[in-house]
Amino acid sequence: MLQVIDLHEFLKDERVRCAVKVGSIIRYTMAEFLQNKGFIEIPPVIISPVTDPLAHPIFNGEISYYDNKYYLTRSMIFHKQMALLAFDKIFCFSPNIRLELAEKARTGRHLFEFTQLDLEVKGASREEVMQLAEEMFIEILKRVKECCKPELEKLGRELKIPSRPFKRISFEEAYNEYGKEYEEILSSEAKEPFWIIDFPKWKREFYDREFEDREGWLADMDLIYPEGFGEALSGGEREYKYERIVKRIQDSKMDPKEYFFYLEIAKRGLPPSAGFGIGIERLTRYICGLRDIKYTTPFPKIPGKYCI
Amino acid sequence: MLQVIDLHEFLKDERVRCAVKVGSIIRYTMAEFLQNKGFIEIPPVIISPVTDPLAHPIFNGEISYYDNKYYLTRSMIFHKQMALLAFDKIFCFSPNIRLELAEKARTGRHLFEFTQLDLEVKGASREEVMQLAEEMFIEILKRVKECCKPELEKLGRELKIPSRPFKRISFEEAYNEYGKEYEEILSSEAKEPFWIIDFPKWKREFYDREFEDREGWLADMDLIYPEGFGEALSGGEREYKYERIVKRIQDSKMDPKEYFFYLEIAKRGLPPSAGFGIGIERLTRYICGLRDIKYTTPFPKIPGKYCI
């Protein structure tokens, strides 16, 4: 079976050349922004006995080594929390492997391998990391406009710097107004990025913190791109107390045994924190105004296809 | 079975805290140095139908997705060559998974997951990338001395900036003088990093370029750390012509069918290039003067052990 992309043609495509250049500047600007704020960059974790369960269906990526079972990283959420045992503010350029269902190829925004800038701050509130995200987002847009003028011109993309603070809408409000397709509708109508906050438990993974005084609702958020580009970033405050984590795993109808290694560490203490992860290829796609995410990387991994 | 590291104790260890901070500065300095020289950072590839065969025994890391077979990246060598179809100079912070034999845990310099700064330059000679490596290496040492003074003090490490050009010795000379253990002996005796050049075919992978006028010998190099810290960097000029690559694969007693995807692309043309890969954890280990590489990352993957 042949791999699906004609790589010679693909790598000649101006969209790829421009978008990969933009992605390179995005990565560098992120690192610079966070280093200047005193964040420590930690090495990525690619295989581990624990990884993000994710809130949508996916194939497991498993390997065995000396009879020990490892998962390919779907996100570094648990490792971020654990790294805060040593540092106050950390980030990572974290490659994620998510073996998506083939139908996700149609969304234009799924790859089965991508990089997430993942960060976590000890003792921070959701509000603080939202401020940080807005500031970083604007810094990136400014830098790309400055360093990638020819690329944006070739792509026919005009970028407007959004004003802060970004607008906010609660999940409840959004869902009541627009129903199931709330994200798509709101993203398509929007001219600037905006936040959706306070997701319900049934929509999210067990690690986002549930409000003590509002059962079933979470201290978390998504950043949504305008012009129909959809989700940018997911984050929130975290559950960090052992008993609460176990309860939340059980509420999600999962088996705490699957998180044994993580729970053993949580039992001895994890710090409270907040953080987020932002997909670099999706950010590149938005900044470049490309409808298909495949142009943002030289070796796109298209759901369901055989890709080099 | 329990994971092997007591993470709470480990992450309290000053060696880990200092070394991870140093590693963070190393990553940033590398990105800055290469961005300033016009390199484009490409996203890492984690799974692919083709990866580095490596010249030493290792377990295969394989996964299957929609009945297609993927390997975990052991190095991005082939993807670096292919990326030069779009760009002149590229680099990548490339996580490598190398499922090493358990005995490698004893060397103090093997992890089964680590990050390599991997770069490749279209049309470059070995000489040019050696110059680049020396310049970058010195830039990193200077920056770490400047930004990580407290960390180096805690580690009791005094760093001397080496003088350029670094010394060179050919493999043949080294082997004739010191025999099989040439690298260890030379590294232990050295006070400054040095190059070993011109490896023989039987020591290396098929992708390093064979001299046209000196059959069996390659236009490649290793950088070796002093004080017994061993190999720093491996690189060279590359085979890029289809027929020569096929011949070199056959010379290595491998089956060209295993490199089908890569060969299909080489058949339609790859540019000549040179480049290298340098392990970030090993560089951190050397700079920090640590005998065990495990301290350089919050979640070390120790060969043969179960690690989170």
Side-chain angles (χ1 to χ4, degrees):
Chain A
M1 190 181 173
L2 277 173
Q3 80 115 354
V4 71
I5 296 240
D6 179 335
L7 204 69
H8 274 82
E9 287 308 311
F10 185 72
L11 292 177
K12 266 184 218 151
D13 193 313
E14 280 293 351
R15 286 170 292 190
V16 180
R17 293 181 178 200
C18 292
V20 172
K21 169 75 195 289
V22 167
S24 172
I25 296 298
I26 290 173
R27 280 171 194 260
Y28 183 58
T29 309
M30 286 170 159
E32 186 188 56
F33 177 85
L34 294 170
Q35 289 272 357
N36 285 339
K37 291 209 177 285
F39 279 73
I40 302 271
E41 181 173 356
I42 63 167
V45 168
I46 305 297
I47 60 176
S48 175
V50 284
T51 192
D52 196 326
L54 298 180
H56 72 274
I58 207 165
F59 298 103
N60 259 338
E62 258 179 62
I63 66 154
S64 174
Y65 169 54
Y66 280 102
D67 288 333
N68 298 321
K69 195 166 85 168
Y70 290 89
Y71 295 103
L72 291 173
T73 291
R74 294 191 286 252
S75 99
M76 266 178 61
I77 177 66
F78 305 126
H79 291 84
K80 286 198 302 177
Q81 282 187 289
M82 295 186 281
L84 295 182
L85 293 168
F87 305 104
D88 290 343
K89 306 177 187 184
I90 54 106
F91 73 100
C92 184
F93 290 99
S94 167
N96 289 189
I97 305 291
R98 299 182 178 179
L99 303 176
E100 306 280 358
L101 307 184
E103 67 202 43
K104 291 281 176 130
R106 288 196 297 268
T107 66
R109 58 195 189 90
H110 285 86
L111 295 170
F112 67 85
E113 171 177 289
F114 64 95
T115 303
Q116 179 155 204
L117 172 79
D118 226 339
L119 64 81
E120 199 74 14
V121 181
K122 196 194 286 186
S125 64
R126 174 176 67 175
E127 190 58 39
E128 287 170 289
V129 293
M130 286 171 76
Q131 300 292 339
L132 184 79
E134 291 187 6
E135 208 187 311
M136 184 172 73
F137 184 77
I138 286 173
E139 183 72 22
I140 291 167
L141 290 194
K142 283 186 180 163
R143 182 71 63 88
V144 170
K145 284 182 79 137
E146 196 183 297
C147 300
C148 302
K149 221 178 235 211
E151 286 77 16
L152 293 176
E153 262 170 33
K154 276 183 204 162
L155 293 162
R157 182 68 167 162
E158 265 183 71
L159 276 180
K160 228 184 95 239
I161 308 294
S163 46
R164 290 186 61 191
F166 300 171
K167 287 205 180 112
R168 298 173 186 205
I169 182 170
S170 72
F171 170 86
E172 204 174 7
E173 250 180 298
Y175 195 82
N176 288 343
E177 179 85 17
Y178 300 99
K180 260 184 159 175
E181 306 298 322
Y182 68 93
E183 185 185 298
E184 213 180 310
I185 298 168
L186 282 167
S187 174
S188 297
E189 287 176 356
K191 301 276 172 272
E192 300 206 333
F194 64 94
W195 297 100
I196 302 178
I197 59 170
D198 295 359
F199 284 89
K201 228 155 81 168
W202 60 267
K203 276 287 288 179
R204 303 287 268 207
E205 297 84 355
F206 65 78
Y207 47 74
D208 284 357
R209 191 173 73 78
E210 188 173 3
F211 290 112
E212 272 84 0
D213 53 357
R214 218 179 136 215
E215 214 185 306
W217 298 90
L218 308 174
D220 60 3
M221 77 286 187
D222 274 2
L223 181 70
I224 311 291
Y225 293 123
E227 306 168 56
F229 284 98
E231 187 200 313
L233 164 169
S234 255
E237 295 175 21
R238 314 301 182 187
E239 297 291 358
Y240 63 97
K241 290 180 183 155
Y242 175 73
E243 291 76 15
R244 286 189 55 100
I245 299 172
V246 172
K247 184 186 170 298
R248 292 289 309 281
I249 294 176
Q250 287 163 339
D251 291 351
S252 309
K253 312 278 176 244
M254 284 186 292
D255 185 352
K257 276 200 208 99
E258 288 173 41
Y259 297 93
F260 175 74
F261 285 180
Y262 169 63
L263 287 172
E264 284 298 295
I265 287 157
K267 201 184 272 177
R268 288 174 62 187
L270 281 175
S273 67
F276 60 77
I278 178 166
I280 294 177
E281 290 81 356
R282 285 187 180 178
L283 175 53
T284 307
R285 169 180 177 255
Y286 164 68
I287 287 183
C288 294
L290 293 163
R291 285 294 148 186
D292 194 332
I293 197 165
K294 74 178 178 188
Y295 299 112
T296 63
T297 167
F299 309 106
K301 295 300 203 301
I302 300 164
K305 307 289 188 209
Y306 207 5
C307 302
I308 203 164
Chain B
M1 189 181 175
L2 279 171
Q3 81 116 352
V4 71
I5 295 240
D6 179 334
L7 205 69
H8 275 83
E9 287 309 311
F10 185 72
L11 292 177
K12 265 184 219 152
D13 193 313
E14 280 292 350
R15 285 169 293 190
V16 181
R17 293 182 178 198
C18 292
V20 173
K21 169 75 196 290
V22 168
S24 173
I25 296 297
I26 290 174
R27 281 172 193 258
Y28 183 57
T29 308
M30 286 171 160
E32 187 189 55
F33 176 85
L34 294 170
Q35 289 273 356
N36 285 339
K37 292 209 177 284
F39 279 73
I40 302 272
E41 181 174 355
I42 63 166
V45 167
I46 305 297
I47 59 176
S48 175
V50 284
T51 192
D52 196 326
L54 300 179
H56 71 275
I58 207 166
F59 297 104
N60 258 340
E62 257 180 62
I63 67 154
S64 173
Y65 169 53
Y66 281 101
D67 289 332
N68 297 321
K69 194 166 87 168
Y70 289 89
Y71 295 102
L72 292 172
T73 291
R74 293 190 288 252
S75 99
M76 268 178 62
I77 177 66
F78 305 127
H79 291 84
K80 287 198 301 176
Q81 281 188 289
M82 295 186 279
L84 295 182
L85 292 168
F87 304 105
D88 290 343
K89 303 176 189 186
I90 55 107
F91 72 101
C92 184
F93 289 99
S94 166
N96 289 188
I97 307 290
R98 298 182 179 179
L99 303 176
E100 306 279 358
L101 307 184
E103 66 202 44
K104 291 281 176 128
R106 288 197 298 268
T107 66
R109 58 195 189 89
H110 285 86
L111 294 170
F112 68 85
E113 171 176 288
F114 64 96
T115 303
Q116 180 155 204
L117 172 79
D118 226 340
L119 65 80
E120 199 74 14
V121 181
K122 197 194 287 186
S125 64
R126 174 176 67 174
E127 189 58 40
E128 286 169 292
V129 294
M130 285 170 77
Q131 300 293 338
L132 184 81
E134 291 188 6
E135 208 187 314
M136 183 172 74
F137 185 77
I138 286 173
E139 183 71 23
I140 291 167
L141 289 194
K142 283 185 181 163
R143 182 71 64 87
V144 170
K145 284 182 80 137
E146 195 183 298
C147 300
C148 302
K149 220 179 238 227
E151 285 76 17
L152 294 176
E153 262 169 35
K154 275 182 206 162
L155 293 164
R157 181 68 166 161
E158 265 183 71
L159 275 180
K160 228 184 95 243
I161 308 293
S163 46
R164 287 187 63 192
F166 300 173
K167 287 203 181 115
R168 298 174 185 203
I169 181 170
S170 72
F171 169 86
E172 205 175 5
E173 250 178 300
Y175 195 83
N176 288 343
E177 178 85 19
Y178 300 100
K180 260 183 159 175
E181 306 298 324
Y182 66 94
E183 184 184 299
E184 216 178 309
I185 298 168
L186 282 167
S187 174
S188 297
E189 288 176 357
K191 301 275 171 275
E192 300 206 333
F194 64 93
W195 296 102
I196 302 178
I197 59 169
D198 296 358
F199 284 89
K201 230 154 82 166
W202 60 267
K203 274 288 286 181
R204 304 287 267 206
E205 296 85 356
F206 65 78
Y207 47 74
D208 284 356
R209 191 173 73 78
E210 189 174 2
F211 290 112
E212 273 84 1
D213 54 356
R214 219 179 134 215
E215 214 186 308
W217 298 90
L218 308 174
D220 59 4
M221 75 288 187
D222 274 3
L223 181 69
I224 311 292
Y225 293 123
E227 304 167 58
F229 284 98
E231 186 200 315
L233 167 168
S234 255
E237 294 175 20
R238 314 302 183 187
E239 296 292 356
Y240 63 97
K241 289 179 185 155
Y242 175 74
E243 290 75 16
R244 286 188 57 100
I245 299 172
V246 172
K247 182 184 173 299
R248 293 289 309 280
I249 294 176
Q250 288 165 338
D251 290 351
S252 308
K253 312 276 176 245
M254 283 188 292
D255 186 352
K257 277 202 207 94
E258 288 174 40
Y259 298 92
F260 175 74
F261 285 0
Y262 168 63
L263 287 172
E264 284 298 293
I265 286 155
K267 202 184 271 178
R268 288 174 61 187
L270 282 174
S273 67
F276 60 77
I278 177 165
I280 294 178
E281 290 81 356
R282 285 186 180 179
L283 175 54
T284 307
R285 170 180 177 255
Y286 164 68
I287 287 183
C288 294
L290 293 163
R291 285 294 148 185
D292 194 332
I293 197 165
K294 74 178 178 189
Y295 299 111
T296 63
T297 167
F299 309 106
K301 296 299 202 303
I302 300 165
K305 306 289 188 210
Y306 207 5
C307 302
I308 203 164

